[in-house]
Amino acid sequence: VSGGMVLGASDRIRAGLIGSGGRGRLLADEFKQAGAEVAAVCDVYEPNLAAGLKVAAPGAKRYDNYKRLLDDKSIDAVIIATPDHWHAQMTVDAVEAGKDVFVEKPMAHTIAEGFRMIEATRRTRRVVQVGTQRRSYDVFQEAKRIFESGATGDIRLVNGWWLNHQQ
């Protein structure tokens, strides 16, 4: 569903990118690979805005104020990849503007912000997805199965490490 209407198989979702630093550009590229048109880019930092426009669709609109991007009726959904402290407010503003949202983690900084986001999403009947990775990997699904079986007993502490040697 987009803009209150059901999209057909040949319709393309027009997305706006809010926050076009490295993570935002990566997400924009992934959305493009999935068939979305990244038709608008917003960033307050000019070098990131310019870099974001390079990965967006040709002729993408440029914004330095996310609320102006949200006012664009041709945008169906937004990708929020801004600094963490903006995630909650931008998500609420986006759903209230009639946009579906993909928001980077963390969803919010406080429990109250999280509940405010949930309430706004339910009230506006929009779709919001929080970006999390590896939740469906076999190893994590197996760990979940083991925990739920009770085989581990009471868990008092969990330490986790992710050794990512990407360059």
Side-chain angles (χ1 to χ4, degrees):
V1 177
S2 177
M5 57 189 267
V6 176
L7 295 175
S10 64
D11 292 322
R12 196 164 203 191
I13 294 173
R14 291 177 49 89
L17 173 62
I18 304 173
S20 54
R23 185 66 180 173
R25 293 192 305 272
L26 174 91
L27 290 170
D29 190 53
E30 290 179 358
F31 270 68
K32 283 174 27 183
Q33 290 177 38
E37 176 186 1
V38 180
V41 178
C42 177
D43 205 295
V44 296
Y45 182 56
E46 179 60 36
N48 282 351
L49 179 56
L53 288 165
K54 288 179 182 173
V55 299
K61 296 177 185 175
R62 63 185 296 136
Y63 295 94
D64 62 5
N65 182 316
Y66 81 96
K67 288 186 178 182
R68 284 193 216 115
L69 184 150
L70 296 179
D71 288 339
D72 185 340
K73 300 297 183 208
S74 74
I75 301 297
D76 303 305
V78 294
I79 303 160
I80 299 174
T82 57
D84 300 349
H85 64 277
W86 279 105
H87 292 181
Q89 187 61 53
M90 288 180 170
T91 298
V92 170
D93 291 343
V95 297
E96 288 179 350
K99 313 297 184 205
D100 293 327
V101 177
F102 178 92
V103 59
E104 259 304 306
K105 63 192 166 312
M107 176 177 145
H109 273 193
T110 67
I111 293 170
E113 282 181 343
F115 279 119
R116 198 164 59 90
M117 293 167 76
I118 292 167
E119 189 281 325
T121 301
R122 287 180 176 160
R123 179 174 32 80
T124 60
R125 302 176 54 87
R126 301 312 311 173
V127 174
V128 173
Q129 179 179 343
V130 180
T132 56
Q133 290 75 38
R134 292 173 275 291
R135 292 275 174 102
S136 299
Y137 279 17
D138 292 343
V139 67
F140 296 111
Q141 292 299 309
E142 177 65 11
K144 182 177 183 288
R145 187 194 63 72
I146 292 168
F147 290 141
E148 289 176 345
S149 77
T152 60
D154 291 337
I155 297 177
R156 305 273 187 228
L157 175 68
V158 174
N159 288 315
W161 295 267
W162 179 34
L163 305 174
N164 183 0
H165 297 290
Q166 294 184 57
Q167 293 290 328

